[in-house]
Protein backbone atom coordinates (compact mmCIF):
# COMPACT_ATOMS: atom_id res chain seq x y z
CA UNK A 1 0.00 0.00 0.00
CA UNK A 2 1.38 3.45 -0.86
CA UNK A 3 1.94 5.92 1.94
CA UNK A 4 -1.21 7.79 2.92
CA UNK A 5 -1.33 11.44 4.04
CA UNK A 6 -4.00 11.44 6.74
CA UNK A 7 -5.77 14.45 8.28
CA UNK A 8 -6.83 14.08 11.92
CA UNK A 9 -10.06 15.63 13.17
CA UNK A 10 -9.57 16.65 16.80
CA UNK A 11 -6.32 17.82 18.38
CA UNK A 12 -6.76 16.72 22.00
CA UNK A 13 -5.12 13.83 23.85
CA UNK A 14 -6.80 11.18 21.73
CA UNK A 15 -5.87 13.08 18.56
CA UNK A 16 -2.22 12.84 19.62
CA UNK A 17 -2.60 9.07 20.10
CA UNK A 18 -4.09 8.82 16.60
CA UNK A 19 -1.12 10.78 15.20
CA UNK A 20 1.36 8.43 16.89
CA UNK A 21 -0.42 5.36 15.46
CA UNK A 22 -0.47 6.87 11.95
CA UNK A 23 3.27 7.58 12.10
CA UNK A 24 4.08 4.16 13.59
CA UNK A 25 2.11 2.57 10.73
CA UNK A 26 4.37 4.35 8.21
CA UNK A 27 1.83 6.91 6.94
CA UNK A 28 2.11 10.69 7.29
CA UNK A 29 -0.10 13.19 9.12
CA UNK A 30 -1.50 16.00 6.97
CA UNK A 31 -2.34 18.06 10.07
CA UNK A 32 -4.97 18.45 12.76
CA UNK A 33 -8.37 20.05 12.09
CA UNK A 34 -10.57 21.16 14.96
CA UNK A 35 -13.43 23.63 15.43
CA UNK A 36 -11.47 25.44 18.15
CA UNK A 37 -10.31 28.84 16.79
CA UNK A 38 -7.90 29.42 19.69
CA UNK A 39 -5.64 26.57 18.54
CA UNK A 40 -5.60 27.25 14.78
CA UNK A 41 -2.02 27.90 13.68
CA UNK A 42 -0.56 26.21 16.76
CA UNK A 43 1.51 23.04 16.78
CA UNK A 44 0.52 19.91 18.73
CA UNK A 45 3.04 17.08 19.09
CA UNK A 46 5.05 18.63 16.25
CA UNK A 47 2.04 18.68 13.92
CA UNK A 48 0.26 21.88 12.77
CA UNK A 49 -3.36 22.56 13.70
CA UNK A 50 -4.52 23.81 10.33
CA UNK A 51 -8.06 25.09 10.87
CA UNK A 52 -11.73 24.15 11.12
CA UNK A 53 -13.06 20.76 10.10
CA UNK A 54 -14.84 22.35 7.12
CA UNK A 55 -11.42 23.10 5.55
CA UNK A 56 -10.54 19.43 5.11
CA UNK A 57 -10.53 18.55 1.45
CA UNK A 58 -9.05 15.82 -0.73
CA UNK A 59 -6.54 18.35 -2.12
CA UNK A 60 -4.95 18.65 1.34
CA UNK A 61 -4.89 14.97 2.34
CA UNK A 62 -5.53 11.50 0.92
CA UNK A 63 -7.66 10.35 3.86
CA UNK A 64 -8.99 11.51 7.23
CA UNK A 65 -9.68 9.92 10.59
CA UNK A 66 -11.60 11.26 13.58
CA UNK A 67 -9.35 11.59 16.63
CA UNK A 68 -12.10 12.33 19.14
CA UNK A 69 -12.90 9.94 21.98
CA UNK A 70 -16.61 10.80 22.31
CA UNK A 71 -18.53 8.18 20.33
CA UNK A 72 -21.50 10.44 19.52
CA UNK A 73 -19.17 13.15 18.17
CA UNK A 74 -17.46 10.65 15.87
CA UNK A 75 -20.86 9.57 14.54
CA UNK A 76 -22.00 13.14 13.90
CA UNK A 77 -18.79 14.14 12.09
CA UNK A 78 -18.64 10.93 10.06
CA UNK A 79 -22.17 11.54 8.82
CA UNK A 80 -21.48 15.17 7.94
CA UNK A 81 -18.28 14.75 5.93
CA UNK A 82 -17.90 13.15 2.53
CA UNK A 83 -14.24 12.07 2.59
CA UNK A 84 -12.20 8.89 2.31
CA UNK A 85 -11.81 7.56 5.86
CA UNK A 86 -8.58 5.85 6.90
CA UNK A 87 -8.48 2.68 8.96
CA UNK A 88 -5.22 2.81 10.92
CA UNK A 89 -3.51 -0.10 12.63
CA UNK A 90 -0.48 0.07 14.92
CA UNK A 91 2.27 -2.35 13.82
CA UNK A 92 2.39 -3.76 17.38
CA UNK A 93 -1.19 -5.03 17.18
CA UNK A 94 -2.32 -8.41 15.89
CA UNK A 95 -5.54 -8.60 13.91
CA UNK A 96 -6.56 -11.84 12.25
CA UNK A 97 -6.01 -11.25 8.53
CA UNK A 98 -9.59 -12.08 7.53
CA UNK A 99 -11.19 -9.67 10.00
CA UNK A 100 -13.72 -7.27 8.47
CA UNK A 101 -12.96 -3.74 9.67
CA UNK A 102 -14.98 -0.67 8.75
CA UNK A 103 -13.49 2.63 7.55
CA UNK A 104 -12.24 5.19 10.05
CA UNK A 105 -11.38 2.62 12.71
CA UNK A 106 -8.29 3.02 14.92
CA UNK A 107 -6.39 0.01 16.23
CA UNK A 108 -3.82 0.94 18.87
CA UNK A 109 -0.69 -0.81 20.13
CA UNK A 110 -1.20 -4.09 21.93
CA UNK A 111 -4.63 -4.85 20.46
CA UNK A 112 -5.47 -8.45 19.60
CA UNK A 113 -8.39 -9.43 17.36
CA UNK A 114 -9.03 -13.15 16.97
CA UNK A 115 -10.56 -15.08 14.03
CA UNK A 116 -14.17 -14.50 13.01
CA UNK A 117 -14.50 -11.09 14.67
CA UNK A 118 -16.14 -8.19 12.84
CA UNK A 119 -15.31 -4.58 13.67
CA UNK A 120 -17.47 -1.65 12.57
CA UNK A 121 -16.66 1.85 11.29
CA UNK A 122 -15.08 4.68 13.31
CA UNK A 123 -14.41 2.28 16.19
CA UNK A 124 -11.59 2.83 18.68
CA UNK A 125 -9.79 -0.33 19.78
CA UNK A 126 -7.65 1.42 22.34
CA UNK A 127 -4.33 0.29 23.82
CA UNK A 128 -4.29 -3.45 24.64
CA UNK A 129 -7.97 -4.06 23.90
CA UNK A 130 -8.71 -7.68 23.11
CA UNK A 131 -11.54 -8.84 20.88
CA UNK A 132 -11.84 -12.60 20.90
CA UNK A 133 -13.14 -15.01 18.28
CA UNK A 134 -16.48 -14.29 16.56
CA UNK A 135 -17.12 -11.05 18.46
CA UNK A 136 -19.10 -8.21 16.92
CA UNK A 137 -18.15 -4.58 17.54
CA UNK A 138 -20.67 -2.00 16.31
CA UNK A 139 -19.91 1.30 14.56
CA UNK A 140 -18.61 4.16 16.76
CA UNK A 141 -17.86 1.85 19.71
CA UNK A 142 -14.82 2.45 21.92
CA UNK A 143 -13.08 -0.38 23.72
CA UNK A 144 -10.50 1.04 26.14
CA UNK A 145 -8.04 -1.37 27.82
CA UNK A 146 -10.83 -3.95 27.95
CA UNK A 147 -11.79 -7.44 26.85
CA UNK A 148 -14.57 -8.97 24.77
CA UNK A 149 -14.71 -12.75 25.24
CA UNK A 150 -15.55 -15.23 22.47
CA UNK A 151 -18.84 -14.56 20.68
CA UNK A 152 -19.62 -11.46 22.72
CA UNK A 153 -21.08 -8.46 20.93
CA UNK A 154 -21.33 -4.76 21.53
CA UNK A 155 -23.70 -2.64 19.47
CA UNK A 156 -23.28 0.83 17.96
CA UNK A 157 -21.75 3.50 20.16
CA UNK A 158 -20.94 1.31 23.18
CA UNK A 159 -18.16 2.54 25.47
CA UNK A 160 -16.26 -0.17 27.35
CA UNK A 161 -14.16 1.62 29.98
CA UNK A 162 -10.77 0.63 31.37
CA UNK A 163 -10.39 -2.99 32.55
CA UNK A 164 -13.96 -3.97 31.76
CA UNK A 165 -14.85 -7.43 30.44
CA UNK A 166 -17.84 -8.84 28.57
CA UNK A 167 -18.22 -12.60 29.06
CA UNK A 168 -18.73 -15.06 26.17
CA UNK A 169 -21.82 -14.57 23.96
CA UNK A 170 -23.14 -11.70 26.09
CA UNK A 171 -24.56 -8.67 24.25
CA UNK A 172 -24.23 -5.00 25.18
CA UNK A 173 -26.97 -2.80 23.69
CA UNK A 174 -26.42 0.33 21.62
CA UNK A 175 -24.86 3.40 23.27
CA UNK A 176 -24.48 1.66 26.63
CA UNK A 177 -21.51 2.36 28.91
CA UNK A 178 -19.66 -0.44 30.68
CA UNK A 179 -17.90 1.19 33.65
CA UNK A 180 -14.25 0.75 34.54
CA UNK A 181 -13.56 -2.70 35.99
CA UNK A 182 -17.07 -4.05 35.28
CA UNK A 183 -17.58 -7.74 34.50
CA UNK A 184 -20.64 -8.11 32.27
CA UNK A 185 -22.29 -11.50 32.75
CA UNK A 186 -25.72 -10.86 31.24
CA UNK A 187 -27.04 -8.75 28.37
CA UNK A 188 -27.01 -4.99 28.88
CA UNK A 189 -29.92 -2.71 27.88
CA UNK A 190 -29.25 -0.03 25.24
CA UNK A 191 -28.33 3.44 26.58
CA UNK A 192 -27.73 2.14 30.10
CA UNK A 193 -24.61 2.29 32.29
CA UNK A 194 -23.45 -0.78 34.19
CA UNK A 195 -20.74 -1.04 36.86
CA UNK A 196 -19.22 -3.64 39.18
CA UNK A 197 -18.75 -7.40 39.25
CA UNK A 198 -21.22 -8.73 38.34
CA UNK A 199 -22.12 -5.64 36.34
CA UNK A 200 -25.37 -3.97 37.44
CA UNK A 201 -27.31 -0.99 36.15
CA UNK A 202 -25.99 2.21 37.73
CA UNK A 203 -29.44 3.83 37.72
CA UNK A 204 -30.91 0.81 39.57
CA UNK A 205 -28.05 0.90 42.09
CA UNK A 206 -28.67 4.63 42.63
CA UNK A 207 -32.43 4.03 43.09
CA UNK A 208 -31.78 1.28 45.69
CA UNK A 209 -29.23 3.50 47.43
CA UNK A 210 -31.87 6.27 47.77
CA UNK A 211 -34.43 3.82 49.22
CA UNK A 212 -31.90 2.58 51.77
CA UNK A 213 -31.38 6.11 53.12
C1 LIG B 1 -6.99 5.90 26.94
C2 LIG B 1 -7.94 6.28 28.02
O1 LIG B 1 -7.65 6.96 28.95
S1 LIG B 1 -9.47 5.66 27.82
C3 LIG B 1 -10.34 6.36 29.15
C4 LIG B 1 -11.32 5.43 29.59
N1 LIG B 1 -12.10 6.03 30.68
C5 LIG B 1 -12.55 5.30 31.69
O2 LIG B 1 -12.29 4.10 31.75
C6 LIG B 1 -13.43 6.00 32.67
C7 LIG B 1 -14.67 5.14 32.92
N2 LIG B 1 -15.65 5.81 33.72
C8 LIG B 1 -16.37 5.18 34.64
O3 LIG B 1 -16.18 4.00 34.94
C9 LIG B 1 -17.42 6.07 35.31
O4 LIG B 1 -17.25 5.96 36.68
C10 LIG B 1 -18.86 5.74 34.85
C11 LIG B 1 -18.96 6.24 33.38
C12 LIG B 1 -19.19 4.27 34.90
C13 LIG B 1 -19.89 6.44 35.72
O5 LIG B 1 -19.65 7.82 35.76
P1 LIG B 1 -20.74 8.77 36.48
O6 LIG B 1 -22.09 8.57 35.84
O7 LIG B 1 -20.14 10.13 36.44
O8 LIG B 1 -20.87 8.18 37.92
P2 LIG B 1 -20.34 8.79 39.32
O9 LIG B 1 -18.87 9.04 39.24
O10 LIG B 1 -21.24 9.92 39.68
O11 LIG B 1 -20.58 7.58 40.31
C14 LIG B 1 -21.88 7.17 40.69
C15 LIG B 1 -21.75 6.00 41.65
O12 LIG B 1 -21.28 4.86 40.92
C16 LIG B 1 -20.06 4.39 41.47
N3 LIG B 1 -19.20 4.04 40.33
C17 LIG B 1 -18.85 4.85 39.32
N4 LIG B 1 -18.05 4.20 38.45
C18 LIG B 1 -17.91 2.98 38.95
C19 LIG B 1 -17.20 1.84 38.48
N5 LIG B 1 -16.50 1.89 37.35
N6 LIG B 1 -17.26 0.71 39.22
C20 LIG B 1 -17.97 0.68 40.38
N7 LIG B 1 -18.66 1.72 40.87
C21 LIG B 1 -18.63 2.85 40.15
C22 LIG B 1 -19.49 5.56 42.26
O13 LIG B 1 -18.64 5.13 43.26
C23 LIG B 1 -20.74 6.21 42.75
O14 LIG B 1 -21.21 5.48 43.89
P3 LIG B 1 -21.89 6.27 45.13
O15 LIG B 1 -23.11 6.96 44.56
O16 LIG B 1 -22.24 5.15 46.09
O17 LIG B 1 -20.88 7.20 45.64
Amino acid sequence: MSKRNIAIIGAGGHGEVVASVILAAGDSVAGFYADVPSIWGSVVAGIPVIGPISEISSSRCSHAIIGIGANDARKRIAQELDIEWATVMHPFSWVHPETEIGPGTLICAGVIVQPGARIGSHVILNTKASVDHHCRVGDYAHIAVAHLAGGASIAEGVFMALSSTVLPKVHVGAWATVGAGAVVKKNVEPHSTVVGNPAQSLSELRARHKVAH
Side-chain angles (χ1 to χ4, degrees), residues 1 57 63 89 93 106 141-142 152 157 159 197 208:
M1 191 167 56
S57 71
H63 296 75
M89 214 182 283
S93 60
L106 177 77
H142 174 185
F159 172 45
N197 179 8
R208 266 186 250 147

Side-chain angles (χ1 to χ4, degrees), residues 93-101 107 110-119 125 129-137 143 147-152:
S93 60
W94 190 83
V95 176
H96 187 273
E98 286 167 23
T99 308
E100 283 177 34
I101 307 173
I107 298 182
V111 166
I112 295 182
V113 178
Q114 296 289 17
R118 214 184 292 154
I119 315 290
L125 297 186
S130 75
V131 176
D132 223 293
H133 63 90
H134 302 103
C135 285
R136 297 286 175 267
V137 177
I143 306 183
H147 309 284
L148 268 186

Side-chain angles (χ1 to χ4, degrees), residues 62-132:
S62 65
H63 296 75
I65 186 167
I66 307 170
I68 297 174
N71 296 347
D72 54 349
R74 286 200 311 288
K75 179 171 185 175
R76 179 178 49 76
I77 293 166
Q79 289 181 332
E80 281 170 6
L81 281 186
D82 181 19
I83 195 146
E84 184 146 4
W85 296 109
T87 298
V88 185
M89 214 182 283
H90 196 286
F92 294 163
S93 60
W94 190 83
V95 176
H96 187 273
E98 286 167 23
T99 308
E100 283 177 34
I101 307 173
T105 285
L106 177 77
I107 298 182
C108 291
V111 166
I112 295 182
V113 178
Q114 296 289 17
R118 214 184 292 154
I119 315 290
S121 308
H122 301 282
V123 166
I124 301 171
L125 297 186
N126 222 322
T127 316
K128 285 173 87 177
S130 75
V131 176
D132 223 293

